[in-house]
Amino acid sequence: MLAIINSCTVLGMDGYPIEVEVDVSNGLPGFDLVGLPDASVRESKERVRTAINNSGFKFPMRRITVNLAPANIKKEGSLYDLPIAVGILLATEQIPYSDQLKNSSLVGELSLDGKVRPVPGVLPMADRLSQSGTKSFFVPAENSREAALIKDITVYPIETLKNLADFLRGEEDLVPIEVDAAKLLREGAASCSVDMSEVKGQEGVKRALEVAAAGGHNIMLIGSPGCGKTMLARRLPSILPSLTLQESLEITKIYSVAGLLLNTEGLVTERPFRAPHHSASTASLIGGGRVPRPGEVSIASHGILFLDEMPEYSRMVLEALRQPLED
């Protein structure tokens, strides 16, 4: 029997819908996974097998073929575990095909006991799915507040594979989560760990920092060791304007893709301050790669990128920073 489950992935900074096609047929037992999967995706076979057995279901000793479509896009990460497991349970009729799965998408990593673990990039996925008309999004509970920042999609937090199966069988209720992003931003915008008011003297430098903050300018601090350059630079975010909701969502999306979204509220409410070490490579600062990932320049969006001991950075890094600095 064939089952098709909607899922999603991240390409660069944007979500991209994926279809997980699961076919269970007669034949020698086997588990084939196709569609340009990387090593972490191929390893999902063992996670899915064990999670299904430990969740009280029966893993079929039959021929299983899973296709991640479209097949010409490289698939990375562990986020396909949950849709693959649900597809197998549907194809073997251990759970019925529910109307709730129509126009819905699933993502999540499975642990061996059936718990659903968080995955990066859920916010841009939710944004993309809402634009494509998807009504429901089943995500790991730890990612739920992040996904719920998008208002046009219903987000269901999933704790375990069994919870989701019971919900699809009508044996358990799942309450969709709602988040007021504007309220979170107001509550979280108040504090900075350090403040410019703590600095005594240095009036000329503080005036220069105020001009840079007001106009969004770059600034270079030059002086003898110990005169306060780093101290002043680290306090620059405290005199920047508060984030707007649109800026906050944009930063949160970047942090989500980079796997840096650790707070339980799911929303970044303070302007970033990034201070990479002078041994950082060009790729770590600018980003990119075969599968594009954000670098420090992107992660510092709407905030501060502080290059301490700038002459120590390699020439290639400084040359690569020329265009971002001009922009």
Side-chain angles (χ1 to χ4, degrees):
M1 183 176 175
L2 176 67
I4 299 177
I5 303 294
N6 295 318
S7 186
C8 197
T9 189
V10 174
L11 294 178
M13 292 299 303
D14 300 315
Y16 193 93
I18 298 291
E19 282 190 350
V20 180
E21 303 170 344
V22 181
D23 180 74
V24 179
S25 58
N26 295 326
L28 290 174
F31 196 154
D32 294 323
L33 208 160
V34 298
L36 282 183
D38 74 343
S40 61
V41 179
R42 288 193 296 269
E43 288 174 352
S44 69
K45 294 186 289 187
E46 302 306 321
R47 292 192 296 271
V48 168
R49 186 196 314 272
T50 309
I52 287 177
N53 288 329
N54 289 336
S55 297
F57 300 100
K58 184 177 179 181
F59 188 84
M61 298 304 295
R62 298 165 66 185
R63 185 74 177 177
I64 302 173
T65 305
V66 177
N67 179 43
L68 306 176
N72 63 324
I73 293 176
K74 183 76 173 177
K75 315 300 188 308
E76 292 190 338
S78 56
L79 57 94
Y80 304 105
D81 292 3
L82 184 61
I84 290 174
V86 171
I88 291 174
L89 295 179
L90 285 173
T92 55
E93 299 182 340
Q94 296 185 67
I95 59 175
Y97 188 81
S98 168
D99 289 340
Q100 193 63 51
L101 282 178
K102 294 179 180 177
N103 217 8
S104 298
S105 289
L106 294 77
V107 295
E109 175 187 335
L110 288 175
S111 62
L112 298 186
D113 61 357
K115 290 181 181 178
V116 183
R117 290 176 170 165
V119 295
V122 167
L123 180 57
M125 292 182 205
D127 190 21
R128 176 65 177 85
L129 292 173
S130 70
Q131 295 173 19
S132 64
T134 300
K135 300 301 181 185
S136 302
F137 195 21
F138 295 86
V139 302
E142 293 181 47
N143 292 126
S144 58
R145 295 186 68 82
E146 168 190 349
L149 295 172
I150 305 301
K151 291 302 180 185
D152 298 329
I153 191 168
T154 303
V155 176
Y156 290 94
I158 306 299
E159 295 280 356
T160 66
L161 175 62
K162 190 175 187 307
N163 290 151
L164 178 57
D166 290 343
F167 173 69
L168 296 176
R169 290 187 295 195
E171 299 175 1
E172 183 178 329
D173 287 333
L174 285 178
V175 179
I177 191 165
E178 296 182 359
V179 171
D180 187 344
K183 181 180 178 182
L184 286 179
L185 184 60
R186 289 194 302 270
E187 292 175 350
S191 62
C192 275
S193 56
V194 292
D195 195 272
M196 191 68 76
S197 64
E198 300 167 347
V199 179
K200 307 302 180 184
Q202 300 280 17
E203 299 303 327
V205 184
K206 287 196 284 188
R207 173 59 179 163
L209 290 172
E210 290 171 3
V211 173
H217 306 301
N218 304 311
I219 186 169
M220 180 180 289
L221 302 178
I222 301 174
S224 56
C227 67
K229 302 184 297 297
T230 300
M231 176 190 67
L232 285 155
R234 291 190 178 277
R235 284 159 174 75
L236 182 54
S238 68
I239 61 172
L240 291 173
S242 299
L243 286 170
T244 65
L245 181 57
Q246 187 61 38
E247 288 174 338
S248 180
L249 288 173
E250 185 177 335
I251 297 170
T252 305
K253 186 181 292 188
I254 296 171
Y255 270 58
S256 176
V257 173
L260 299 174
L261 201 58
L262 303 178
N263 62 323
T264 56
E265 296 298 336
L267 184 69
V268 177
T269 57
E270 297 180 8
R271 293 189 181 273
F273 182 88
R274 305 294 297 182
H277 192 262
H278 60 75
S279 62
S281 66
T282 303
S284 68
L285 257 72
I286 306 301
R290 183 176 51 81
V291 176
R293 296 288 185 222
E296 293 290 344
V297 170
S298 300
I299 298 171
S301 290
H302 302 300
I304 303 297
L305 178 65
F306 176 47
L307 304 181
D308 202 4
E309 304 292 348
M310 195 178 83
E312 298 295 331
Y313 286 80
S314 73
R315 177 174 177 175
M316 289 183 62
V317 169
L318 296 178
E319 289 290 343
L321 282 169
R322 180 182 299 185
Q323 185 173 343
L325 287 172
E326 290 174 351
D327 290 343

